[in-house]
Amino acid sequence: MFMIVAPIFLIIFIGYIFGRLRPDSGKSDKLINDYVLYIALPALLFLAIARADMSELQQWGFITASLAGIGAAYILGILVAKFMGISLPQSSILSMGACYGTTGYMGVPILISVYGESAALPAAIATILHNIPAIMAVIITYDIFSKSISTAMR
């Protein structure tokens, strides 16, 4: 397992060192990030979902467990933010950081390296489960908390 994960972290480390040594490389960093974010990752997720049989997509236990974990981490993030004295609208951003997994950038390559192509579908489902609910939760809670604070100030 270490021999599979080590090269991924080595690439991350080399990228970090390169960025520190060449601070003017900001445009190339943005280019590769945009490629992964807007082209490679969506294509991988689309292909994994499109090639799957409908019965493979109905993994209700996995989906429920993932959403429960995301929700628990989000609520824990709000509580930690409150304990730290961070106001309610801003705590939703901290909570997203707490619940948002790096399934797309790191989870997919690691799972496919370890388990082969059959891991692409669960990784795609996990990535989608992190993106949609986490982003929606931030938007909704930020809006609700902002309105409740502005109403209380009137």
Side-chain angles (χ1 to χ4, degrees):
M1 178 72 158
F2 176 76
M3 294 308 293
I4 293 171
V5 176
I8 294 171
F9 284 99
L10 183 62
I11 290 170
I12 293 170
F13 180 70
I14 290 170
Y16 172 78
I17 296 297
F18 181 76
R20 298 293 284 175
L21 294 175
R22 305 250 345 243
D24 60 335
S25 66
K27 292 185 180 174
S28 60
D29 296 349
K30 181 170 177 10
L31 179 66
I32 196 162
N33 188 57
D34 287 350
Y35 168 74
V36 170
L37 185 63
Y38 298 118
I39 297 171
L41 187 58
L44 175 66
L45 297 177
F46 178 80
L47 289 174
I49 299 294
R51 291 179 180 161
D53 185 59
M54 186 59 87
S55 63
E56 293 176 314
L57 294 173
Q58 297 174 350
Q59 300 180 23
W60 301 117
F62 174 72
I63 291 170
T64 303
S66 295
L67 289 175
I70 292 167
Y74 191 83
I75 291 168
L76 184 63
I78 287 178
L79 295 174
V80 168
K82 184 172 174 115
F83 178 74
M84 293 172 57
I86 299 172
S87 66
L88 287 176
Q90 288 77 20
S91 68
S92 60
I93 303 298
L94 185 122
S95 297
M96 182 178 175
C99 77
Y100 197 83
T102 57
T103 56
Y105 291 111
M106 292 182 61
V108 173
I110 290 172
L111 285 173
I112 291 174
S113 296
V114 173
Y115 297 109
E117 279 299 312
S118 64
L121 180 62
I125 292 172
T127 301
I128 292 166
L129 288 175
H130 275 88
N131 288 339
I132 295 170
I135 293 170
M136 284 176 44
V138 169
I139 293 168
I140 291 168
T141 56
Y142 194 92
D143 187 52
I144 289 170
F145 292 150
S146 294
K147 286 181 181 176
S148 64
I149 287 176
S150 65
T151 303
M153 296 178 94
R154 289 183 191 170

